[in-house]
Amino acid sequence: MPVNDTPAVLMTGVSFAFDDHPVLENIDLCIGANDFFGIIGPNGGGKTTLLKLMLGLLEPGRGRVQVFGRHPREVRDILAYVPQLAVDGGDFPITVADVVLQGRLQPRRFGFRFRAVDRRRAEEELERVGMTAYRRRPLDELSVGQRQRVFLARALCRSPRLLLLDEPTASLDAGSQTNLYEILRELNRSMGIVLVTHDIGVVSRHVRRLACVNRMLITHDEGLITPEMLEETYHCPVDLIAHGVPHRVLHDHG
Amino acid sequence: METVLHLIRDIAAHEFLQRALIAGALVSLAGGIMGTLVVVNRLVFLAGGIAHAAFGGVGLASLLRLPVLPVTALFTLAAAGVMGRLALWGQVRNDTIIGALWAVGMGFGVICIELSPGYHPDLMGYLFGSILAVSRADLWLLALMDLLIVASVAGYAEELIIVSCDEEYARVVGLPVDWIRVGMLLLVSLAIIMLVRVVGLIMVIALLTIPAAAAERFTRSIRRMMAYATLYGLACTLTGLGISFVFDLASGAVIVMTAAAGYLLLMAGRRLRPDRGAA
């Protein structure tokens, strides 16, 4: 694994509250520039908030969030984000190709137009996620899994060094999940990846490192899920075997 | 056929009819462009609120004895600013605040008009439209507003589309989302002020929504939707004007009915040819 001195994400003593409801408390977290980092936890446990802090969409109440050693907003050009998708695709009138092109926008320039180089790049990224055949289709005709890949292609158009994904496999069948993880593993050769999910089963087979968040954060550097971690996170004993998760997940990334 | 020839002779003879046609074309452009953004952003209720609050401007102009269109324009922009601020970023549920300001603007207008000594402007014209009474100066003002709308939307097309399509993504890439929303709302207000001239503030919402909805049946591109909506609005305005002139009916109402009838025909046509689905 290549060594990089500046961690992709460094959180120190971070707390965040919505009004008076604490969402995250005293989080310390370090994610390397080439990590494939999974964050799991129950719904409402603060997973998405953690991502939004990394993106600079939210400011921590206490503590500090640094991305590549800077404030997240200063490095937004090298951050990319794939949002959590609803099963309903909405009804916004836009084609797949135009969504991917959005990744090439240079903000704050009157009269901005996409150029041939932007379109070429968008085509390349569509190819990479295997969605070229759908380029002229309206976005709202696609399945969740297909839209997921379209948004991934849009994110990749930004040539990110860190890719953040929110529940990327939430509504995917097992085949699509495996497919997505294969793409992500390939991408991980050239960028750090952080993904948030409540899907304990799949994520643990693919990520290098794992953290559990439920207001507090528990990290496990080996990418293993132990019953103790889950119990601490979910505040109740979790029967791993009954949920189809191997008791110990073999760490096969060397 | 004879009726059509008669109509054409009338248009050639009467300058007020020519002005009405030009006004119809100018407002169709504004309505097509901004109507598309209103529809895809689900701002229909907010647009209705702005249109009705605009009546406060009509009343104020009458009270202060100032030119109606400029005063109404300023008043409407201010009302849109307040409504947008409260509705898009406020704590109160936004349809509540829009509904309240909708009526407050009208109430303010009615009181102003009652307080205006002697002179009462043609109120019905603002409520139901008065495209046949458009003056030469009005035409220049309408053209200027069109220019402002076209230039702004063309200059920030991608930004407007991204904010409409995926606001969170727009924030992640660092777009000034709030400013873009404010700008969009002000442009919507401009379009409303223009459309009020043609169909009146009570029916303005029809010309913001029906052309855009009709256009959406033919394309999945915002830019084309704007173009098609403009053409649809133009066709309805001109047809409606002709019908209203021949049968001596209120032009605003006939234009709206024409637009609605056309939309129903489109839907029926699509149903008859299922091979071309709504994609």
Side-chain angles (χ1 to χ4, degrees):
Chain A
M1 191 167 123
V3 183
N4 192 321
D5 290 346
T6 318
V9 179
L10 184 63
M11 291 192 166
T12 39
V14 168
S15 297
F16 184 86
F18 280 116
D19 296 323
D20 287 333
H21 295 281
V23 181
L24 296 170
E25 277 182 63
N26 206 22
I27 307 281
D28 292 311
L29 176 65
C30 181
I31 299 175
N34 300 297
D35 260 344
F36 192 152
F37 198 98
I39 299 172
I40 61 170
N43 290 328
K47 303 188 296 287
T48 298
T49 305
L50 207 53
L51 270 194
K52 289 189 172 175
L53 286 165
M54 295 177 194
L55 286 163
L57 289 176
L58 296 172
E59 288 289 326
R62 263 186 300 122
R64 193 159 68 145
V65 181
Q66 285 190 313
V67 178
F68 294 108
R70 313 276 288 275
H71 189 282
R73 277 203 300 270
E74 293 173 34
V75 291
R76 57 165 55 117
D77 285 350
I78 52 171
L79 294 185
Y81 172 55
V82 179
Q84 182 174 2
L85 297 184
V87 178
D88 168 26
D91 54 5
F92 194 85
I94 193 163
T95 62
V96 166
D98 285 343
V99 172
V100 179
L101 255 186
Q102 291 178 349
R104 299 288 297 171
L105 181 83
Q106 309 283 323
R108 291 166 204 252
R109 253 179 46 201
F110 184 82
F112 176 82
R113 287 282 175 279
F114 292 115
R115 291 178 304 174
V117 55
D118 298 315
R119 289 177 206 286
R120 262 202 308 280
R121 179 63 190 276
E123 294 295 327
E124 283 166 22
E125 298 303 347
L126 265 178
E127 180 77 48
R128 172 139 65 161
V129 300
M131 288 294 291
T132 304
Y134 295 86
R135 50 188 301 282
R136 295 202 177 281
R137 292 275 292 277
L139 184 72
D140 57 7
E141 279 185 4
L142 270 49
S143 71
V144 189
Q146 291 169 332
R147 270 185 288 133
Q148 198 88 57
R149 292 200 216 175
V150 171
F151 286 111
L152 179 59
R154 175 177 73 178
L156 295 176
C157 272
R158 297 170 56 69
S159 312
R161 283 177 59 198
L162 182 65
L163 178 64
L164 304 150
L165 304 102
D166 195 354
E167 298 281 9
T169 56
S171 319
L172 301 188
D173 58 66
S176 312
Q177 284 180 355
T178 311
N179 213 318
L180 181 71
Y181 278 108
E182 274 162 16
I183 297 174
L184 291 181
R185 196 145 29 165
E186 180 64 31
L187 290 172
N188 187 222
R189 293 169 191 268
S190 54
M191 66 189 75
I193 296 180
V194 178
L195 76 88
V196 143
T197 181
H198 65 257
D199 188 354
I200 323 164
V202 187
V203 73
S204 58
R205 279 201 291 277
H206 298 277
V207 301
R208 288 176 204 259
R209 293 177 67 214
L210 201 59
C212 295
V213 64
N214 189 7
R215 223 169 71 185
M216 314 288 201
L217 188 89
I218 305 146
T219 47
H220 199 297
D221 287 343
E222 302 281 303
L224 308 180
I225 303 178
T226 63
E228 293 75 26
M229 275 173 81
L230 287 179
E231 205 167 317
E232 252 186 283
T233 307
Y234 288 84
H235 293 306
C236 64
V238 179
D239 187 344
L240 292 178
I241 294 164
H243 284 80
V245 185
H247 229 278
R248 295 179 71 79
V249 184
L250 278 180
H251 194 267
D252 59 3
H253 301 290
Chain B
M1 198 61 208
E2 205 176 312
T3 331
V4 174
L5 283 175
H6 196 76
L7 187 62
I8 291 171
R9 225 173 8 238
D10 280 336
I11 292 169
H14 299 292
E15 212 195 319
F16 78 93
L17 276 180
Q18 294 160 18
R19 283 201 301 265
L21 292 176
I22 297 170
L26 290 173
V27 301
S28 296
L29 182 59
I33 293 173
M34 296 318 296
T36 296
L37 287 171
V38 164
V39 165
V40 300
N41 280 288
R42 299 170 194 276
L43 294 175
V44 174
F45 192 59
L46 181 57
I50 292 171
H52 284 74
F55 193 69
V58 176
L60 194 64
S62 138
L63 183 65
L64 302 176
R65 291 170 178 278
L66 290 168
V68 177
L69 202 47
V71 173
T72 309
L74 288 176
F75 188 89
T76 309
L77 291 176
V82 172
M83 267 196 216
R85 176 74 187 79
L86 294 172
L88 297 178
W89 299 287
Q91 301 294 317
V92 190
R93 276 189 291 261
N94 60 18
D95 56 339
T96 309
I97 198 87
I98 293 167
L101 287 173
W102 179 308
V104 166
M106 290 212 78
F108 178 74
V110 169
I111 290 174
C112 282
I113 285 166
E114 286 203 317
L115 293 178
S116 313
Y119 171 68
H120 287 248
D122 175 25
L123 285 186
M124 295 297 274
Y126 292 98
L127 293 176
F128 300 105
S130 55
I131 193 172
L132 295 175
V134 171
S135 72
R136 193 171 277 271
D138 286 345
L139 282 185
W140 282 111
L141 205 53
L142 291 178
L144 185 71
M145 288 155 110
D146 258 340
L147 191 67
L148 213 65
I149 289 173
V150 171
S152 313
V153 173
Y156 291 107
E158 296 305 333
E159 285 85 347
L160 285 166
I161 291 171
I162 292 184
V163 168
S164 307
C165 166
D166 190 342
E167 183 174 320
E168 187 175 51
Y169 177 75
R171 285 188 200 280
V172 169
V173 301
L175 283 182
V177 172
D178 292 344
W179 286 113
I180 292 170
R181 285 213 170 278
V182 168
M184 195 192 310
L185 217 52
L186 294 181
L187 294 174
V188 168
S189 310
L190 275 187
I192 288 172
I193 294 158
M194 296 173 69
L195 288 167
V196 163
R197 203 78 184 90
V198 175
V199 287
L201 60 89
I202 290 176
M203 289 176 283
V204 74
I205 232 43
L207 282 198
L208 275 179
T209 52
I210 298 174
E216 198 179 2
R217 303 187 74 81
F218 294 95
T219 179
R220 296 265 88 184
S221 140
I222 293 280
R223 283 192 177 81
R224 288 205 193 100
M225 207 173 140
M226 288 174 172
Y228 297 169
T230 299
L231 292 177
Y232 187 88
L234 186 64
C236 295
T237 311
L238 299 188
T239 312
L241 261 180
I243 296 174
S244 79
F245 190 68
V246 171
F247 295 98
D248 194 22
L249 292 165
S251 57
V254 176
I255 290 169
V256 169
M257 295 312 280
T258 309
Y263 185 72
L264 288 176
L265 280 178
L266 280 179
M267 289 209 324
R270 279 287 155 123
R271 187 121 337 144
L272 291 176
R273 285 190 298 169
D275 54 319
R276 292 181 61 195

